[in-house]
């Protein structure tokens, strides 16, 4: 095997989360580790109808355009244009095989080995994997309750750091749960314009708000932003429909790379997605239902953790998305070590260390509230409490 | 944009074939340029039933394993194991997003920039695109009526060339139509073992034989072979189901890269493909019908070309696959120039130059017989004859 493979394999650990998912697939373990939507909330019956309708058209089984089905790009352009407050056309949108493919192709388009990429601390592991595979010099900037600390970012830039890319999960951060404030969005956009880096605004969770919609995207504020989103969390992961929009040259380069990467997406799942996304009355109702259901679970989990652990934890506000970031205040606790005890007690989570770049997050855990019902979440928190007690006594 | 992008964009022309497809999408032009199955031969009704059945299972809309749905890998392992004459298990197979993704991930796994890759002359353009994007040093070895000229390959190796990868479309070559003979398969496998290069055996067309099945795969003869195939040509492109099997370390590296590239495939289309591929009585009948129908078209096209052009052409035997490689004997003819006249006459093809590496193939064209009926093919050949005459007089 070539040197590059050995080198890449070093940096490219199998995603810790995915390995954990394998580990915790035991039926007696309640896993709060994944980032999976509840299959019961996925509109399977509606997908079946759209599939049936799509399959009356021979084009639904044929090869499609590399940038994605025109009808799907039209509806995505309309929706995204409304979010950023300026009109977009089908040519401005590239449909990708999930937004993970958008990240991966963007890394190939925007990065040379050794280029600096700034991610949030803690960071989305799928982004870390992509940037490390691209042999980027991955740095991190602190994240607090208001999202990325853009003042800290400005300091890094003033100290001479010249990133090619800054990656942000602007809405309901994975794993941290927070939303970037409007002021910081403006600050980030201004820094991008001033220093000439690209912002990848990675937004798979923006539609899953429980209290109110998030602020306008960073992409509304600068042309240096490539915005990513996905149908996986609001419709179905199995559609494998993600998308990106932004600078036209970048989109064209992504299209060229996608030709070589996989030629095109599935005309069938693109038609299904287009059908669902263009039925606005249905979609609005579906999203409202989804927000209410996931919101209820988020509150159940956060309340359960707070009542079980009291002042031994700090729990992130559960205002949207899928995750509740919980920091134990016990300075000695290593949640990676706690995990084994937790699995023995029938509950799993992702230790904070999985998301660390420069920091360790030894005392933190990411808990997913999306996959299980309120009752199951309550039981899982009780098990976590028992595991914590047992671990402290061991 | 980074230097790498500019460099890659130079080598990474948009696929000539795909650009042509756009150019020739005019309704008055019969396109023999694409490599598209006839949508009428795609079992849409059966796909609809499998989709309906799949969607009774919540797992059909959820994220799936990176290597592909277990049930799909099981049936692929059984089928591929039977072809290569030794048992394979699900862990030996990685399902990819079409076999193009398999090629792309393999290039990332097996190649460093500057590594030598040997392709066939003429070559599959999708492979050229991938290897050029990987910044490989792409060389070519001649192809004749018996497939890759392995004696010429041996000469290149004896002269000191040390390829990392040799790529072959062993069955019903795209664009050349030929099949690698059993003796040359053994020779290629022996050279791989002796010189330690990897063979990528790219076989999307092997099931589409019109006279009899092709010889046992090169993968039956050496452990240095990674074998690729696809459901696109026998079931439906829109399933986006390709696969690879071979060396376990290479498969594991492909899996790791696929995590970063797109996390996983579509559980829905994987279930559909598994349903179709595991229903052997149905599949056998479907494949027999497909072979008869495409075989009839292949003969219609080849006979039409021969009767129209006589000894002004050499037509490849149409024993399988989708393509008829036609070489004009007129030494002055440039088929790239002929194309414009042909489009004006309402017919399109891919000029040989699109497949050239070291040679130009100026006198050759690739004609696809799969997409159009025998009648339409006859009309297209008549138009091509008129275009040829007009071009000669211009």
């Amino acid at each position: 095997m070539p040197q590059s493979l050995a080198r890449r394999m070093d940096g490219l650990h199998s995603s810790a989360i995915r390995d954990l998912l394998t580990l915790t697939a035991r039926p007696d373990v309640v896993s709060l580790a994944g980032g999976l939507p509840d299959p019961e909330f996925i509109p399977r019956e509606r997908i079946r109808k759209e599939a049936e309708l799509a399959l009356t058209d021979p084009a639904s089984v044929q090869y499609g355009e590399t940038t994605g089905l025109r009808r799907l790009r039209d509806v995505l352009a309309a929706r995204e244009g409304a979010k950023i407050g300026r009109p977009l056309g089908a040519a401005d949108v590239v449909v990708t095989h999930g937004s993970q493919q958008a990240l991966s192709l963007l890394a190939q388009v925007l990065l040379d080995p050794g280029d600096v990429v700034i991610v949030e601390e803690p960071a989305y592991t799928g982004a870390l994997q992509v940037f490390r595979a691209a042999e980027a010099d991955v740095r991190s900037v602190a994240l607090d309750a208001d999202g990325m600390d853009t003042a800290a970012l400005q300091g890094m830039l003033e100290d001479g750091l010249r990133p090619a890319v800054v990656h942000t999960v602007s809405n309901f951060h994975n794993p941290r749960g927070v939303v970037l404030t409007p002021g910081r969005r403006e600050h980030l956009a201004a820094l991008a314009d001033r220093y000439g880096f690209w912002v990848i605004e990675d937004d798979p969770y923006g539609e899953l708000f429980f209290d109110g919609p998030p602020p306008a995207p960073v992409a509304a504020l600068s042309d240096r932003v490539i915005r990513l989103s996905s149908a996986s969390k609001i419709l179905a992961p199995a559609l494998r429909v993600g998308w990106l929009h932004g600078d036209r040259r970048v989109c064209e380069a992504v299209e060229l790379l996608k030709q070589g990467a996989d030629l095109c997406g599935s005309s069938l799942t693109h038609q299904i997605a287009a059908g669902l996304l263009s039925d606005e009355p249905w979609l609005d109702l579906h999203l409202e239902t989804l927000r209410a259901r996931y919101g209820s679970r988020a509150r159940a989990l956060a309340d359960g953790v707070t009542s079980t652990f009291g002042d031994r934890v700090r729990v992130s506000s559960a205002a949207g998305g899928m995750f509740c970031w919980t920091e134990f205040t016990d300075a000695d606790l290593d949640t990676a070590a706690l995990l084994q005890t937790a699995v023995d007690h029938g509950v799993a989570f992702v230790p904070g260390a999985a998301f660390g770049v420069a920091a360790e997050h030894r005392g933190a855990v990411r808990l997913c509230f999306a996959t299980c019902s309120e009752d199951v979440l309550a039981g899982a928190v009780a098990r976590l409490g028992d595991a914590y007690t047992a671990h402290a006594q061991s």
Side-chain angles (χ1 to χ4, degrees), chain A:
Chain A
M1 263 184 247
Q3 291 189 334
S4 65
L5 178 60
R7 197 170 63 236
R8 277 194 294 258
M9 300 288 276
D10 276 348
L12 196 135
H13 344 274
S14 167
S15 154
I17 296 178
R18 294 186 70 84
D19 289 349
L20 263 168
L21 280 173
T22 310
L23 239 158
T24 61
R26 283 165 37 190
D28 57 321
V29 175
V30 177
S31 179
L32 310 181
L36 308 178
D38 186 335
E40 295 306 320
F41 294 178
I42 294 175
R44 261 192 296 144
E45 178 53 24
R46 185 61 207 267
I47 288 171
R48 190 192 63 73
K49 281 184 190 157
E50 289 295 336
E52 188 161 3
L53 185 64
L55 285 164
T56 60
D57 176 5
S60 68
V61 288
Q62 187 58 282
Y63 288 103
E65 285 183 74
T66 298
T67 51
L69 184 75
R70 173 61 193 258
R71 183 175 160 229
L72 178 55
R73 285 183 290 125
D74 280 338
V75 62
L76 292 173
R79 291 183 65 83
E80 289 290 331
K83 281 189 209 301
I84 65 168
R86 55 176 191 269
L88 293 177
D92 296 309
V93 176
V94 180
V95 180
T96 53
H97 194 232
S99 64
Q100 185 70 30
Q101 187 186 42
L103 260 184
S104 166
L105 296 177
L106 278 177
Q108 292 172 62
V109 165
L110 300 176
L111 298 174
D112 281 324
D115 277 355
V116 173
V117 172
I118 297 180
V119 299
E120 292 156 323
E121 179 78 59
Y124 167 53
T125 53
L128 287 179
Q129 192 175 16
V130 159
F131 296 139
R132 285 172 177 157
E135 300 174 43
D137 176 4
V138 181
R139 312 290 185 93
S140 62
V141 61
L143 195 69
D144 62 26
D146 291 335
M148 180 191 291
D149 182 348
T150 52
L153 174 62
Q154 181 171 341
M156 293 160 79
L157 296 164
E158 284 171 355
D159 287 347
L161 197 66
R162 288 294 171 267
V165 165
V166 173
H167 176 262
T168 178
V169 181
S170 50
N171 295 323
F172 316 116
H173 188 267
N174 175 5
R176 188 65 177 71
V178 296
V179 175
L180 191 64
T181 59
R184 288 191 177 178
R185 287 174 196 237
E186 281 179 26
H187 192 194
L188 176 58
L191 292 173
D193 289 339
R194 178 161 170 200
Y195 289 94
F197 55 81
W198 293 101
V199 175
I200 298 181
E201 182 179 31
D202 193 354
D203 182 22
Y205 308 110
E207 294 283 6
L208 295 181
F209 53 84
F210 309 145
D211 301 329
V218 187
L221 306 168
S222 166
D223 295 335
R224 307 284 308 169
V225 181
I226 313 293
R227 189 174 144 77
L228 275 52
S229 192
S230 167
S232 296
K233 308 303 191 282
I234 58 170
L235 297 178
L239 299 178
R240 307 310 296 128
V241 166
W243 57 88
L244 65 87
H245 64 85
D247 184 277
R248 191 68 71 96
R249 292 166 308 155
V250 171
C251 287
E252 285 169 4
V254 166
E255 178 186 357
L256 274 179
L257 283 173
K258 185 167 164 65
Q259 277 189 17
D262 62 5
L263 288 179
C264 64
S266 165
S267 300
L268 177 59
T269 68
H270 284 199
Q271 287 214 24
I272 295 170
L276 296 170
L277 291 171
S278 59
D279 183 351
E280 279 194 42
W282 174 84
L283 182 63
D284 288 347
L285 189 61
H286 169 69
L287 289 175
E288 274 173 40
T289 310
L290 220 50
R291 288 167 194 143
R293 287 172 157 183
Y294 283 136
S296 167
R297 290 181 176 189
R299 284 184 294 276
L301 179 67
D303 292 351
V305 169
T306 304
S307 68
T308 302
F309 293 101
D311 58 6
R312 286 171 299 167
V313 294
R314 279 188 304 270
V315 183
S316 69
S317 78
M322 294 192 153
F323 304 109
C324 190
W325 180 254
T326 298
E327 292 167 291
F328 289 89
T329 52
D330 174 355
D332 292 333
L333 184 68
D334 178 354
T335 56
L338 175 63
L339 177 60
Q340 188 54 59
T341 315
V343 170
D344 292 342
H345 281 76
V347 63
F349 55 79
V350 184
F355 309 98
V357 181
E360 290 192 288
H361 311 288
R362 281 164 51 98
V365 298
R366 188 192 77 175
L367 306 175
C368 175
F369 52 74
T371 324
C372 311
S373 71
E374 288 81 346
D375 283 354
V376 175
L377 288 171
V381 173
R383 291 176 185 193
L384 189 59
D386 292 345
Y388 179 89
T389 306
H391 186 72
Q393 290 165 350
S394 68

